[in-house]
Amino acid sequence: MSSVHPILRLGVDVGGTNTDAVLLDLSEGSRRGQVLASAKHLTTADVTLGIQNAIESVLTRAQSKSNIQALCIGTTHFVNALVERDPRRLDRVAVIRLCGPFTHGTPPFVGFPHELRDLLEGPHFLLSGGLQIDGSEIASVVLAQVESACDEINRQGIHAVVVSSVFAPIDFEIQQEETVAAIVRKRIPGMDVVCSKDVAAIGLLERENASILNAALLRYAKKTVIGFEKAAKALELKCSVFITSNDGTLLSCAQAARLPIRTFSSGPTNSMRGAAFLAALESGISKQSALVVDIGGTTTDIGMLLPSGFPRQAAAHHEFCGVLLNFSMPHVTSIGLGGGSVVREDPVTKKVTVGPNSVGHRITSESIVFGGSTLTATDVVVAAGRASNIGDESLVSGIGQSIIEGAQSAIKKMLQNYLDAMKTSSQDIPVYLVGGGSILAPDVLTGISRVHRFPHFDVANAVGAAIAQISGIIDSFEDTSTRTILQVRADVEARAIARAIASGADPHRVAIVESEVIPIAYTSGRCRFYVKAAGDWSGVASPSWLEVDDPLHVEASTGETASRPQMVASAAASPVVAPVMRSASDILEYEPRIEKREWLLSEVDLEWIADGCYVLGCGGGGSPLHTFLELRELVRSGETVRVVDFSSLASNALVGWGGGMGSPEVSSERLLGNEYQEASAELWSLIGIAKPEALCAIEIGGSNGMINMILGSTKYTDIPCIDGDFMGRAYPTWHQTTASVYDFSGTGAKMLPSAISSGDGNVMIMTKAKRDIDVDASLRAACVEMGTYVGQASCPLKADYVDNAMIKNTVSLSWRIGRAIALARKQSSLSRIGSILVDAVGGSSSARVLFMGKITDVRRRVYKGHTIGEVVITALTVDDDVDDDDPDCPMERFTGTLIIPFKNENLYAEHTADGAIPTMVATVPDLITVLDAQNGAALGTPQYKYGLRVLVLGITAAPQWTGSERGLALGGPSAFGFTHIPYKPLGKYTQPRSVIEEYSRNG
C-alpha cells in the first residue's frame, strides 16, 4: 500500500496587535482540516519579521517542509499605508479617463478628502472614448490624445497611471482601457498602469477612486510581496506564496502586487471563513447562514456568513479613508466592545456602561484582574465566574453584583442590537464566536438559535487564510431579449467557472458561490449579471500568475518615493476657502452669503442642500451626490451659483425648468455631461429667446433638485435659480408636477415644446401631445434609445403662472433639513433627529415622526422602468433600544408595524398596532421619507434592507397639490391606483422661511 503524503497549508493573518499562524492538514480523508499547530505573536514594526516569527513557531509540527503546499498570508501592509497617509509608501497618480463629452464636471479625485487629494493627485485627462450601456461606443479612442497625455505624464515624473473608461466593465470586445494601457506602456516604458475594469465594477467615480488608491500603492506592493517571498525562502519553504483577498480567495504574489487594494479587508474575511471551516470541522455544520462575532481587545467585528461559506458583501458603495469605493468588501460592522473595554457606573443613575473606550493592549497592566486600577469587561466576566485562568481572580472579588449584572446586561444588549441589524431576516440563526475576547459573549442571545464556540477560535483568522480558494468573477450587462434570463445566467456562470479554473482552481472542486441578476430601470432586454465561482487551488501555478510585470522578476523598489515633482495647479484649486464645520457652534454661527437679495452658494450650503434634497426625495429621485460634487467643484474653482426669491422676478419674466430623465444605473456610470445644457439651448433657440430670466427645479427631491444650479452657474449661463420647484418632493413621472396641476388643457400644453438631448449629438423635440401623460411616456421611450439617460427641458413658463404653480422656498427647506441633520450629528443627538427635523420643516402642526423601528421585510421589483415594492418596519421593543434610559430618546414609543408601498417614491404609510385594525397615517401627496436612525441620512428605496434602524418622517404637502381635485388626481393615492384610499391631510402646510429673507442684511 503506497504511503500518502500529507498536504499541508500555512495560514498567517497579520492583525493590529497579533500575528497569528496555523499549520493545517488538507489531505483527503479523516485528517482533512486538522489544525496541527498554531501560534500567536505580537505584530512587529517590521511586519514581515513578525510573519517570519509566527511561521517558525508552527513549522516544527511539519514532518517535512516539502509537504507544505502553500503559504497563505492575510496582511495589513497596504491598508495601513493609506490609513497612515504615508508619503514614503504612496505615489502620485495620473488618470486618463475615456468619457467623450460626459463626466467633465466631476473629474478624477473630485470626491477625495483634501489631505489625500493633495498627496495623490497627479494630472488628469478627459479624452475621447467610453461606452454606452448597450456596449456601443460613445466615441473611439484617439491615439494622438493619448500620446499627448503620456508626454505630460512623463514630464511630471509620475510613476503610476489609471485608465478608466465609461462602462469599462462591460467592454469585452472593443477593449478601450486595454488599448490605451498598451499605448501608455509603449510610450513610457516601465510605467505602472491600472485598468479600472480590473479593480472594481459598475459605478465610474467609485471604480476610478478604487483604481487610484490601488495605483498609488503599486511600487510599495512590489517591494512587500518580494519581502514575503524572501521570508519564505529564508525559512527554506519551496511552496507557492499567496496573499488573501477581501472576498476570501487567493491572490498570487504577482496578482497582489498589481491589485493590492483587494487585500484591504482580508482580516475580517479570514475570521469569517475560518469560523465556517472550524464549525464544519467540529460538528459537521455546513451550508447554513451564520453570524460571526470576532471579539478582540478593543473592538468587535460582526459579519454575516452565507451558506456558501463566504461572507456577505457590503453594499455596492462604501467608504474608506473618506473615499467612496465600490470594489468587493465583506459587510462588517465594528463596535467598541472588547476585553479591554472600560466599564463605568453613573454615580447618580447607577446605570452601567461598557466601552467604547478601551485599555487595549495595556490590559495586562491596567485591568484590575491583572493588578491595575481600571475596571474592564474582562474583570466583569472573571468576577462573574464565566472565565478562569485569567489574571488573579481574587483581585476582582470586590466588584459589586449590581455592576457585574449591569455590565453583562449592557454587553448582551449591545450584541443583540448589532447582531439583529446584520441579519437578513427575522429568522433565528446561529452565532460563531471567535477571537480572544469571545469570553464576553453570553451563551444565550435573543434572535440567535445557538451560540457556538469552537476549538482554535482564537486563530480562526489564520485558519481562514489557510483555506482561502481561487475565484473567477463575471460582472457584466447581458442581452436578454432573445433568450430567457435563466439561459443567460447559465452561460455567465459557465464563464465564471472557466475563469476560476484558468486562475488555478481545481476543476473538480469549483462551484458557483454568488449569482445575482439585477434589472435595469427603464430598460428591457438587458440585465446586469454578477457571478462568482470559487474552488480549492489545484496545486498547479496558473500562467496568469507570472506575467511580464511580475514583481518577482523585476528589481525591488527601495520603498521610498522619489522626490515629488512640483504639482501642477489642480482644476479644483480655488480662491474660495470653505468654512470648516468642526462643532455644533460652527453650524449655528454659520451664515449664508446674501448679496443684493441673491444667495451665493458655498460648499457648506451645497452640502446641506444635497442632504435635504435626498430627504425630500421620499425614497426616489436618485442620490444628489454626483450633482453635489460637480457643483462643489464649480464653487471651488471660483464659479458662482445664485439663488433668488421669486419676488425678485418681473411679472413678464420667463422661467426655464427641467432636469435629468432616465436610469440611475446609467447616471452612476456615465456621469453628467452637457445633456441638460444642450436640451435647454436647443429649446430656447426654437422658441426664439437667448435665455430665460430664471431657472426652477422640476423637483426638489433627489438629484434634479440641484441640476439647474449647474446650468445656471457662471460657467454656463449665469442665470439665477428660483428658491422653489414644481413638486415639493419627487414623483416618478414628468407630468406629476404642480405646473401640470394648473394646466387645464389636459394635453401638456405647459410642458411643450420640450427637448431632450443625449449629450453626444442626439436631440429630439416634442411639440404636441394628445394627453399630458403621453409626454412622459413618449420622451421616456426615446430616452431609452438615446442611451437611457437624457437632459430634458420644458417650455419656459411666465412668471405670473409660476407664481401660482411653483412651491416656494423649497431650496431653503432643503438647506434647513441638511443643516438640522449636520447639527444633530455634531451634537451627538441623533436620538432626537426626528424632533429636530420636525422643527426644521415647520413644526409639529405640519410635520411629525410617523414611526420608529427596524426594517423587517423588503419586497421590490422593476415594472415598466419603475422600482415597485413595499417595506415593512417593526417597532423596537424595550430590549431592542440602544439606550433605553437616555433622556434624549424619542418622546413617543411606537408599537406594531408600519407598511410603506413605493413606486420609486414612498406612496403611503399604514400602521398596525398590536392587535388593532390597520390605520392609514399618511398618503401622497404628503411627503413620507425614511431616514437611517443611526446617522440621520435619507434612504432611497434601493437602500432599504433588513435590520436597519429607521425613522419615518411625514411632512404636509403644499396646497398646490392638496387644494384642488386636479392636484389630488395627479399626485394623490388615486394617481397610483389606490382609488380606495382617500387623502387625509397629515397636518397644516407651513411655507418654509426663505433663507434670503432671514439672512439678508437689507431684509
Side-chain angles (χ1 to χ4, degrees):
M1 186 173 180
S2 62
S3 60
V4 178
H5 294 290
I7 299 175
L8 308 181
R9 285 265 191 101
L10 279 168
V12 179
D13 190 87
V14 182
T17 304
N18 295 306
T19 296
D20 300 336
V22 297
L23 182 64
L24 203 63
D25 190 340
L26 293 180
S27 308
E28 294 295 338
S30 59
R31 294 183 306 179
R32 181 174 175 81
Q34 183 180 354
V35 179
L36 301 179
S38 64
K40 189 179 289 286
H41 283 257
L42 289 175
T43 297
T44 55
D46 179 353
V47 180
T48 304
L49 179 61
I51 292 173
Q52 192 167 329
N53 292 338
I55 293 172
E56 283 183 313
S57 298
V58 299
L59 278 179
T60 55
R61 292 297 304 274
Q63 296 177 357
S64 170
K65 292 180 181 179
S66 63
N67 293 329
I68 298 175
Q69 183 195 50
L71 166 60
C72 308
I73 302 171
T75 179
T76 57
H77 277 75
F78 310 127
V79 69
N80 287 346
L82 277 167
V83 169
E84 296 165 10
R85 310 287 204 269
D86 186 351
R88 298 170 301 170
R89 294 180 282 175
L90 299 171
D91 279 324
R92 282 177 60 209
V93 179
V95 180
I96 296 175
R97 185 191 288 175
L98 309 175
C99 55
F102 301 105
T103 83
H104 288 220
T106 44
F109 299 95
V110 67
F112 276 58
H114 281 296
E115 72 282 0
L116 199 57
R117 188 170 184 173
D118 290 342
L119 186 64
L120 302 183
E121 185 174 18
H124 60 259
F125 309 88
L126 308 179
L127 307 184
S128 176
L131 270 63
Q132 301 283 13
I133 193 172
D134 63 359
S136 63
E137 283 189 315
I138 293 172
S140 298
V141 171
V142 177
L143 176 62
Q145 289 184 358
V146 180
E147 290 180 337
S148 177
C150 289
D151 293 343
E152 178 60 22
I153 292 168
N154 197 30
R155 186 189 70 78
Q156 290 198 36
I158 300 294
H159 298 291
V161 175
V162 165
V163 180
S164 64
S165 172
V166 174
F167 278 116
I170 66 170
D171 183 6
F172 304 112
E173 297 178 2
I174 304 172
Q175 298 191 323
Q176 287 191 348
E177 284 192 352
E178 292 88 341
T179 298
V180 171
I183 296 170
V184 174
R185 291 189 179 101
K186 182 178 179 180
R187 192 82 173 182
I188 317 174
M191 176 63 68
D192 284 323
V193 184
V194 174
C195 291
S196 77
K197 67 192 295 185
D198 294 333
V199 177
I202 298 296
L204 175 69
L205 210 57
E206 296 77 15
R207 182 176 71 253
E208 186 177 80
N209 290 346
S211 301
I212 289 168
L213 297 185
N214 188 79
L217 285 163
L218 287 178
R219 290 207 298 166
Y220 175 62
K222 290 179 183 179
K223 176 191 175 185
T224 301
V225 297
I226 290 172
F228 291 161
E229 281 282 346
K230 287 182 176 178
K233 290 179 180 177
L235 293 168
E236 298 181 346
L237 295 173
K238 297 181 180 180
C239 59
S240 296
V241 178
F242 293 100
I243 315 298
T244 61
S245 68
N246 303 319
D247 65 356
T249 57
L250 293 171
L251 299 171
S252 69
C253 282
Q255 290 169 326
R258 289 192 299 274
L259 296 167
I261 198 167
R262 290 194 179 175
T263 71
F264 277 15
S265 196
S266 61
T269 299
N270 288 341
S271 290
M272 285 186 270
R273 293 271 294 143
F277 185 82
L278 293 173
L281 189 66
E282 177 66 16
S283 51
I285 301 171
S286 62
K287 303 289 184 183
Q288 69 171 2
S289 293
L291 288 162
V292 177
V293 180
D294 187 351
I295 306 178
T298 301
T299 60
T300 293
D301 290 336
I302 302 173
M304 170 64 79
L305 196 66
L306 301 175
S308 63
F310 285 86
R312 182 175 74 201
Q313 295 299 290
H317 297 163
H318 44 272
E319 201 172 273
F320 175 76
C321 288
V323 180
L324 202 60
L325 309 169
N326 70 339
F327 62 89
S328 180
M329 292 269 281
H331 181 200
V332 175
T333 293
S334 296
I335 59 176
L337 173 65
S341 294
V342 177
V343 177
R344 297 183 178 88
E345 181 183 46
D346 188 286
V348 178
T349 65
K350 300 301 180 182
K351 180 180 179 180
V352 179
T353 59
V354 180
N357 304 92
S358 173
V359 298
H361 66 274
R362 303 186 305 278
I363 189 170
T364 54
S365 59
E366 295 189 15
S367 186
I368 292 174
V369 76
F370 290 107
S373 58
T374 303
L375 180 60
T376 68
T378 297
D379 297 325
V380 168
V381 294
V382 173
R386 293 182 46 234
S388 57
N389 301 320
I390 297 177
D392 186 345
E393 295 179 24
S394 65
L395 297 177
V396 296
S397 59
I399 300 175
Q401 191 64 27
S402 63
I403 293 179
I404 293 174
E405 292 177 357
Q408 290 188 110
S409 175
I411 291 170
K412 183 175 183 179
K413 183 181 290 188
M414 193 183 309
L415 285 173
Q416 285 178 168
N417 284 334
Y418 284 97
L419 286 168
D420 190 69
M422 289 294 289
K423 290 165 63 177
T424 55
S425 74
S426 58
Q427 182 180 352
D428 288 0
I429 61 173
V431 156
Y432 301 159
L433 287 176
V434 297
S438 61
I439 56 173
L440 303 186
D443 292 325
V444 178
L445 291 164
T446 301
I448 300 303
S449 59
R450 182 181 173 187
V451 176
H452 294 270
R453 291 177 170 87
F454 306 113
H456 307 292
F457 67 89
D458 56 336
V459 289
N461 47 4
V463 172
I467 63 165
Q469 297 180 316
I470 301 291
S471 70
I473 297 174
I474 302 291
D475 184 354
S476 69
F477 290 91
E478 300 289 334
D479 185 352
T480 57
S481 62
T482 58
R483 295 189 299 163
T484 67
I485 288 178
L486 288 177
Q487 289 173 326
V488 177
R489 185 181 210 155
D491 285 351
V492 176
E493 289 178 349
R495 282 156 50 195
I497 289 173
R499 182 169 290 186
I501 293 171
S503 296
D506 185 340
H508 304 293
R509 291 183 175 274
V510 69
I512 298 297
V513 295
E514 284 185 61
S515 184
E516 186 177 9
V517 182
I518 307 163
I520 304 170
Y522 309 119
T523 303
S524 60
R526 293 186 74 80
C527 284
R528 180 180 173 187
F529 291 79
Y530 178 87
V531 177
K532 178 165 73 173
D536 293 339
W537 180 42
S538 64
V540 179
S542 165
S544 66
W545 298 350
L546 300 173
E547 297 183 359
V548 176
D549 60 346
D550 184 342
L552 307 185
H553 294 85
V554 298
E555 184 179 352
S557 162
T558 63
E560 299 292 327
T561 301
S563 58
R564 303 173 72 80
Q566 182 64 37
M567 192 167 167
V568 296
S570 164
S574 169
V576 181
V577 179
V580 179
M581 301 288 110
R582 291 194 176 91
S583 65
S585 61
D586 290 335
I587 294 171
L588 292 170
E589 293 170 5
Y590 172 78
E591 292 192 4
R593 182 182 168 194
I594 312 295
E595 294 183 2
K596 298 179 180 179
R597 303 289 295 180
E598 291 187 337
W599 179 8
L600 308 182
L601 299 183
S602 70
E603 286 187 39
V604 173
D605 297 327
L606 291 169
E607 183 175 353
W608 292 351
I609 291 169
D611 284 345
C613 284
Y614 209 16
V615 171
L616 296 174
C618 301
S623 169
L625 174 63
H626 293 149
T627 312
F628 158 69
L629 290 175
E630 181 165 347
L631 282 163
R632 187 179 69 177
E633 201 74 356
L634 286 173
V635 170
R636 285 180 174 179
S637 63
E639 303 292 348
T640 300
V641 180
R642 298 181 290 151
V643 174
V644 297
D645 280 337
F646 175 79
S647 60
S648 67
L649 295 185
S651 60
N652 62 346
L654 287 178
V655 177
W657 59 300
M661 170 189 282
S663 168
E665 284 83 0
V666 173
S667 57
S668 70
E669 177 70 30
R670 200 194 75 188
L671 307 182
L672 286 177
N674 290 331
E675 304 99 316
Y676 184 42
Q677 291 89 317
E678 290 178 3
S680 298
E682 290 286 341
L683 181 65
W684 299 342
S685 175
L686 176 72
I687 64 176
I689 65 171
K691 64 181 183 180
E693 282 75 18
L695 298 171
C696 183
I698 185 172
E699 57 184 343
I700 194 65
S703 60
N704 271 337
M706 302 180 77
I707 195 170
N708 279 277
M709 296 174 182
I710 297 173
L711 173 61
S713 70
T714 50
K715 179 177 180 179
Y716 293 107
T717 62
D718 194 17
I719 303 174
C721 293
I722 304 177
D723 189 355
D725 78 299
F726 292 109
M727 289 189 190
R729 46 168 301 142
Y731 270 118
T733 59
W734 209 256
H735 66 276
Q736 289 178 300
T737 66
T738 52
S740 295
V741 171
Y742 287 79
D743 177 5
F744 299 107
S745 69
T747 61
K750 293 298 181 182
M751 289 187 278
L752 300 175
S754 183
I756 60 174
S757 169
S758 65
D760 64 346
N762 296 314
V763 175
M764 190 182 86
I765 297 175
M766 186 172 184
T767 59
K768 189 176 181 180
K770 183 178 179 180
R771 299 172 301 170
D772 53 11
I773 61 174
D774 294 334
V775 178
D776 179 84
S778 300
L779 294 179
R780 207 170 287 278
C783 167
V784 172
E785 295 301 318
M786 295 167 68
T788 323
Y789 187 87
V790 296
Q792 195 267 357
S794 292
C795 185
L797 301 170
K798 291 183 179 180
D800 57 355
Y801 187 87
V802 172
D803 191 13
N804 293 319
M806 187 186 75
I807 303 172
K808 296 181 175 67
N809 300 341
T810 52
V811 176
S812 292
L813 177 61
S814 64
W815 182 88
R816 295 184 190 282
I817 291 172
R819 183 179 66 166
I821 293 171
L823 190 61
R825 290 169 178 165
K826 290 296 183 183
Q827 290 178 329
S828 300
S829 54
L830 284 168
S831 58
R832 296 191 301 109
I833 185 67
S835 60
I836 292 172
L837 285 172
V838 166
D839 290 341
V841 301
S844 57
S845 64
S846 59
R848 71 172 186 264
V849 176
L850 301 177
F851 203 74
M852 290 189 70
K854 67 181 179 184
I855 294 177
T856 53
D857 193 16
V858 185
R859 294 180 287 272
R860 60 169 67 89
R861 62 191 175 93
V862 173
Y863 177 71
K864 291 187 177 180
H866 300 289
T867 301
I868 296 173
E870 67 178 22
V871 58
V872 180
I873 305 168
T874 302
L876 299 174
T877 65
V878 173
D879 288 339
D880 284 327
D881 281 335
V882 175
D883 198 352
D884 184 50
D885 299 318
D886 188 342
D888 285 336
C889 269
M891 308 162 284
E892 182 180 355
R893 189 172 295 284
F894 297 91
T895 61
T897 60
L898 190 77
I899 295 177
I900 305 176
F902 52 82
K903 179 183 178 183
N904 289 10
E905 289 78 31
N906 303 317
L907 301 180
Y908 67 77
E910 185 178 58
H911 177 231
T912 304
D914 296 334
I917 297 173
T919 304
M920 196 67 61
V921 295
T923 71
V924 288
D926 288 344
L927 286 69
I928 303 165
T929 187
V930 180
L931 291 87
D932 187 329
Q934 304 293 104
N935 60 24
L939 294 173
T941 56
Q943 295 167 301
Y944 295 166
K945 65 178 181 178
Y946 177 90
L948 278 179
R949 263 60 172 176
V950 296
L951 175 148
V952 183
L953 181 68
I955 306 172
T956 306
Q960 283 88 342
W961 286 116
T962 62
S964 68
E965 290 185 7
R966 178 166 172 78
L968 290 174
L970 283 174
S974 61
F976 298 92
F978 303 116
T979 54
H980 62 290
I981 299 176
Y983 168 69
K984 182 180 178 180
L986 180 68
K988 182 179 179 181
Y989 177 72
T990 301
Q991 180 170 300
R993 186 181 181 188
S994 161
V995 166
I996 296 171
E997 176 188 310
E998 180 177 354
Y999 291 98
S1000 176
R1001 298 301 182 188
N1002 301 320

